[in-house]
Structure formats: structure tokens, C-alpha cells
């Protein structure tokens, strides 16, 4: 695959912010300012992140902001420290390692997956298993940065709207930091994840109307200055830009674990594209510093197809799709993604693949049996996307492909398992042997 030029993301210094509220006294020593990822409009470092994104783009194509750092960009890998967490890359993040609230996140394995790769027709498949993070999902990379920033700012409460993984992660890091945490959610969220959130001591507020989650968070930010990690306005632009910086470390680790090479393809499950955007930023930084000689192409495994539609139409504003079915992959089941995800796909020459429920549980079980990786249902959608693109001749059999498993299958067991007719108790060992023999299990080879 030919390399693509690194796009200069510098802002347009002639554009000024307006209509935004600043919070005096904010301390992010490394952040010089924020800029719009779409138009480049600059905003001050002490701007209140209200999840509306760029004021200039809001009416046409809502877009998130990103931080610009005070120091020249250092080398991501050469500047890494021996720390046993993603904070070894603190020099690339918005606050220092000394301010970090860490549970040992990051440094997850990149595992060769030849058996499932052969099934999909891509034998050079590797899996980045983010289920090995402290709360068993990739959200820990976001939460460690977001909570570190919140504590450095003097926040007492952190909050998020979440169907599960983000809430569990934020709750754990808030607990570690000594902060209070509130998670707004909705009926139908996976029970295991709600239980996990409560075990960390967070307050869970399930609301019948999904939009009420956002209204509550908006009120909390205005009245009590809570640090809100998630979006709480629509159309969604993405989560807090400083937290998204944590996802860059996935790209750093993939390249480190691949002997300094980027894959041809990197495939992720995508909801609002926080991780997709962060991973792309990480690869771009590595390319700009000359660590990698080509950029990977990204693939978004989505549910309802808003990104695929936008890629086909060439529009910047994503349309809300009709939800024709209740997705088992609840954590990515949004009817509309974001410009930040679309931007990463376009710049990488990537693709978006809508994935329904068909074959999802079977693929989850195949991955567990063939590779020993038990993935959340949303994390299995990239494998189906790879199969689709391989069948279309877009991904070649010789391509090096990395898929990111974003969370453990323990997170949504209530969605992925039903009654098992093999769950029985044997009265004697003879009964057990008889059952094994009847089942046709080869007990010799």
C-alpha cells in the first residue's frame, strides 16, 4: 500500500472564538489552546468543554476540538519512560506523569490470530486485546487521562452518560482519585456492567428517556461545575478532547509491538469514534516523526451505517439513520456517528462497514475457541467487517491487519448467553463419562 502524506493539522490563526464560556484558573500546563478538527478555529486553553464542539461548525457539520501543546511535538516512542502503564507516554499527553491517576492501564498484548485469520481469509491477522485493561475495556485509556485532568483542575465530581464500559471505567478511576462519580444510563443496559459501576462506588441513574441523561449532565455542569467526560449535546461531536488523547497510545503500542511497522489495516468497533480518532492521531504522530513509513487504513465496524452513508455522499454532516433492529452490540448501536470518526476514515483512505446481529454470537464463540480471546459482542463486529471487505476484494490475503478488541466478553454475558442444555450435574463419574462418550468427544487424540 503506498504511503499517504501526513496532513498538517495546524489551526487557522485568523479565526477567533466567540460565544464560549471560559473557566479561569484551569491548569493544563502542556495545552496551549484547542482547535477545531474541521475548520481549525482556535479556542483558549481554559475554554469550558461543553460537548458542543466548534461554535463555527455547529450549524453545518458539528465537529470536536483537539488540544495543541505548548512544546514542539516530541518523538512518541523515543521519549517513552519505563513506567508500567500508558503513562510511559506522558510526554504526549495533556498532563504530567506526576499528575496521573493510574490503575496500570495500557501495555495490552498484540496477539497473532492465525486460526481466526484463516477463517476470515487474512492469515496475517493480529488482535490488540484491550480487554486486558484494569476494568476490562479500552475506555481505561480515556478515563486515566480524563480523571487525571479533572483532579488537577480541582473537580470533586466526574460524570458520564454510558451504556456500560465508559461508566465502569470512569467509576474505577474516580474511586482511585478520591472523586465522586455519577453515571447516567438507560433501561436495557447490560446488567453486568451496571453492577460493575456500582461496585466501584459510583451513583447510577437509569432514565427511561435516553435524552434525559444529557439534560441531567448539562444541568450538573452548569449548576455544580461537574467534570463531564462524555457527550451531553446533540448532534454528538465526541467525548472530552483531553480524554481522547489517551487513545493515541493504542497506536504507539501497536507499532512498538510490530517492530516499528504499522499494519496495512486497523479495524475498530465504532460508536462516536473517540478511539478511532485517537488511534489515527497516534499513527499520524508516528508518521510525522518518521517512526513509520506508511499510515494504515482504518475500518469502522458500525451498526446502522451513518459513516458508510457519509463516505459515499462526501458530506461532512452525518445523517441520523433509522434504527431498524435492536443491536446486540449495544455499546456501538448509535444511529449517528461523528465527524471525528468520518475525518479519520477519509484521511486514512478507510471504510465503514455496517454490521447487524447475524453471525455475531457465532463469531464471538469462534474467536474464543480458536484464539482464547473472549470479546464483548461489539468487539466482534470488526471480524465480520474484515470478512466483508475481504469478500469484496478490498482487503487482500497478504495484508497485515490489526483488529482492536475493545472489551471483555464478561461485560455483556446477559446478551451473549442463553440457557445451555449442557448445564447439568452428573450424579456419578460413570454418568459423566457416558455423557462424554455420547457427545462424540475424542478422548484419545
Amino acid at each position: 500500500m503506498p504511503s499517504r502524506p501526513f496532513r498538517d493539522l495546524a489551526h487557522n490563526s485568523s479565526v477567533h472564538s466567540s460565544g464560549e464560556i471560559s473557566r479561569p484558573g484551569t491548569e493544563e500546563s502542556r495545552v496551549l489552546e484547542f482547535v477545531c478538527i474541521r475548520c481549525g478555529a482556535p479556542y483558549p486553553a481554559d475554554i469550558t468543554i461543553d460537548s458542543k464542539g466548534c461554535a463555527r461548525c455547529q450549524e453545518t457539520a458539528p465537529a470536536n476540538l483537539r488540544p495543541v501543546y505548548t512544546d514542539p511535538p516530541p518523538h512518541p516512542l523515543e521519549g517513552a519512560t519505563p513506567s508500567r502503564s500508558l503513562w510511559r507516554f506522558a510526554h504526549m499527553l495533556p498532563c504530567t506523569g506526576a499528575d496521573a491517576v493510574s490503575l496500570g492501564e495500557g501495555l495490552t498484548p498484540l496477539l497473532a490470530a492465525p486460526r481466526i485469520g484463516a477463517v476470515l481469509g487474512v492469515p496475517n491477522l493480529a488482535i490488540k486485546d484491550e480487554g486486558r485493561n484494569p476494568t476490562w475495556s479500552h475506555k481505561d485509556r480515556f478515563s486515566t487521562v480524563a480523571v487525571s485532568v479533572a483532579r488537577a483542575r480541582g473537580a470533586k465530581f466526574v460524570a458520564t452518560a454510558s451504556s456500560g464500559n465508559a461508566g465502569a471505567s470512569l467509576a474505577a478511576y474516580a474511586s482511585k482519585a478520591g472523586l465522586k462519580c455519577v453515571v447516567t444510563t438507560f433501561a436495557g443496559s447490560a446488567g453486568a456492567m451496571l453492577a460493575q459501576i456500582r461496585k466501584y462506588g459510583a451513583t447510577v441513574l437509569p432514565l427511561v428517556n435516553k435524552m434525559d441523561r444529557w439534560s441531567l449532565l448539562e444541568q450538573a455542569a452548569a449548576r455544580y461545575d461537574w467534570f463531564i467526560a462524555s457527550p451531553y449535546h446533540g448532534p454528538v461531536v465526541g467525548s472530552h478532547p483531553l480524554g481522547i488523547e489517551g487513545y493515541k497510545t493504542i497506536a504507539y503500542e501497536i507499532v512498538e509491538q510490530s517492530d516499528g511497522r504499522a499494519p496495512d489495516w486497523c479495524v475498530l468497533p465504532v460508536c462516536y469514534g473517540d478511539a478511532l480518532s485517537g488511534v489515527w492521531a497516534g499513527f499520524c504522530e508516528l508518521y510525522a516523526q518518521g517512526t513509520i513509513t506508511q499510515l494504515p487504513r482504518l475500518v469502522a465496524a458500525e451498526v446502522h451505517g451513518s459513516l458508510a452513508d457519509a463516505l459515499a455522499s462526501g458530506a461532512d454532516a452525518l445523517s441520523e439513520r433509522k434504527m431498524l433492529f435492536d443491536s446486540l452490540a449495544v455499546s456501538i448501536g448509535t444511529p449517528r456517528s461523528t465527524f471525528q470518526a468520518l475525518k479519520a476514515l477519509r484521511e486514512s483512505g478507510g471504510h465503514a462497514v455496517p454490521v447487524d446481529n447475524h453471525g455475531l454470537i457465532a463469531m464471538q464463540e469462534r474467536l474464543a475457541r480458536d484464539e482464547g480471546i473472549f470479546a464483548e459482542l461489539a468487539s466482534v463486529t470488526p471480524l465480520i467487517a474484515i470478512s466483508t471487505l475481504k469478500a469484496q476484494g478490498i482487503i487482500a490475503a497478504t495484508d497485515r491487519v490489526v483488529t482492536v478488541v475493545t472489551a471483555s466478553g464478561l461485560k455483556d454475558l446477559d446478551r451473549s448467553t442463553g440457557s445451555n442444555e449442557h448445564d447439568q450435574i452428573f450424579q456419578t463419574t460413570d454418568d459423566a463419562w457416558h455423557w462424554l462418550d455420547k457427545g462424540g468427544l475424542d478422548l484419545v487424540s
Side-chain angles (χ1 to χ4, degrees):
M1 182 190 70
S3 62
R4 284 171 298 284
F6 175 72
R7 296 201 175 189
D8 182 9
L9 301 178
H11 66 274
N12 178 356
S13 60
S14 64
V15 183
H16 298 281
S17 62
S18 62
E20 297 287 343
I21 301 171
S22 295
R23 177 189 294 125
T26 298
E27 294 296 335
E28 250 93 57
S29 59
R30 291 208 59 229
V31 177
L32 175 66
E33 62 182 351
F34 290 91
V35 297
C36 173
I37 64 171
R38 181 171 179 264
C39 74
Y43 295 88
D46 61 355
I47 187 177
T48 295
I49 301 297
D50 62 3
S51 95
K52 293 179 182 177
C54 176
R56 290 208 166 200
C57 292
Q58 196 170 17
E59 295 301 318
T60 53
N64 209 348
L65 308 179
R66 68 170 184 87
V68 175
Y69 294 111
T70 54
D71 302 323
H75 193 291
L77 303 189
E78 289 182 3
T81 70
S83 172
R84 300 305 301 166
S85 79
L86 66 74
W87 286 97
R88 61 193 298 264
F89 304 112
H91 61 295
M92 304 299 295
L93 299 173
C95 55
T96 67
D99 290 327
V101 178
S102 178
L103 290 168
E105 58 293 315
L107 306 182
T108 58
L110 181 67
L111 304 168
R115 293 188 184 90
I116 197 74
V119 171
L120 301 176
V122 284
N124 295 321
L125 176 68
I127 294 174
K128 183 68 168 164
D129 188 2
E130 290 292 288
R132 307 289 188 93
N133 278 300
T135 74
W136 315 309
S137 92
H138 71 307
K139 297 289 187 179
D140 291 347
R141 294 183 188 262
F142 176 96
S143 293
T144 186
V145 177
V147 172
S148 298
V149 169
R151 188 175 69 171
R153 288 183 171 186
K156 303 301 181 185
F157 276 82
V158 294
T160 186
S162 171
S163 60
N165 283 327
S169 181
L170 195 71
Y173 284 84
S175 175
K176 179 68 174 176
L179 305 181
K180 294 181 174 65
C181 180
V182 175
V183 178
T184 62
T185 188
F186 54 86
S189 295
M193 285 192 270
L194 294 182
Q196 185 184 9
I197 294 169
R198 291 187 173 104
K199 292 293 185 183
Y200 290 129
T203 299
V204 179
L205 300 176
L207 295 158
V208 172
N209 186 339
K210 285 187 178 183
M211 299 305 293
D212 285 345
R213 300 178 303 156
W214 291 356
S215 298
L216 191 150
L217 293 179
E218 182 179 12
Q219 293 163 15
R223 294 177 186 176
Y224 305 111
D225 201 27
W226 289 6
F227 184 97
I228 313 298
S230 69
Y232 57 97
H233 285 109
V236 172
V237 299
S239 296
H240 199 293
L242 297 182
I244 290 174
E245 291 288 281
Y247 291 127
K248 298 190 302 186
T249 61
I250 294 177
Y252 303 160
E253 290 178 19
I254 288 172
V255 170
E256 275 191 322
Q257 294 164 330
S258 304
D259 298 323
R261 296 188 303 166
D264 296 311
W265 298 89
C266 187
V267 191
L268 292 85
V270 172
C271 180
Y272 295 133
D274 292 338
L276 190 77
S277 179
V279 166
W280 178 240
F283 280 125
C284 285
E285 288 172 349
L286 292 168
Y287 184 84
Q289 293 290 345
T291 303
I292 55 177
T293 57
Q294 69 173 33
L295 289 162
R297 301 175 73 180
L298 301 183
V299 176
E302 57 177 345
V303 172
H304 297 294
S306 66
L307 287 168
D309 280 357
L311 285 173
S313 70
D316 281 358
L318 282 76
S319 300
E320 184 155 336
R321 297 275 294 172
K322 187 174 182 180
M323 298 173 69
L324 299 177
F325 64 98
D326 180 19
S327 177
L328 290 171
V330 63
S331 61
I332 61 170
T334 182
R336 175 165 49 195
S337 189
T338 62
F339 176 77
Q340 65 179 6
L342 180 63
K343 178 176 184 286
L345 293 176
R346 279 184 179 155
E347 290 184 352
S348 72
H351 293 266
V353 181
V355 177
D356 60 22
N357 290 335
H358 179 71
L360 203 56
I361 291 177
M363 185 65 79
Q364 181 193 52
E365 293 172 350
R366 185 72 184 250
L367 176 63
R369 288 197 307 267
D370 286 357
E371 302 294 350
I373 298 172
F374 183 31
E376 181 190 28
L377 287 169
S379 295
V380 180
T381 59
L383 299 178
I384 295 177
I386 291 168
S387 178
T388 299
L389 294 178
K390 174 62 173 59
Q392 294 173 351
I394 295 172
I395 293 180
T398 55
D399 285 345
R400 290 178 294 112
V401 183
V402 169
T403 181
V404 180
V405 164
T406 50
S408 164
L410 294 174
K411 293 299 195 88
D412 57 1
L413 275 174
D414 50 347
R415 289 180 170 269
S416 65
T417 60
S419 60
N420 189 336
E421 69 270 19
H422 300 312
D423 271 349
Q424 55 181 295
I425 299 174
F426 301 104
Q427 299 298 317
T428 67
T429 56
D430 285 342
D431 289 343
W433 283 116
H434 176 72
W435 183 86
L436 286 170
D437 183 61
K438 184 179 177 182
L441 182 66
D442 188 345
L443 301 176
V444 178
S445 60

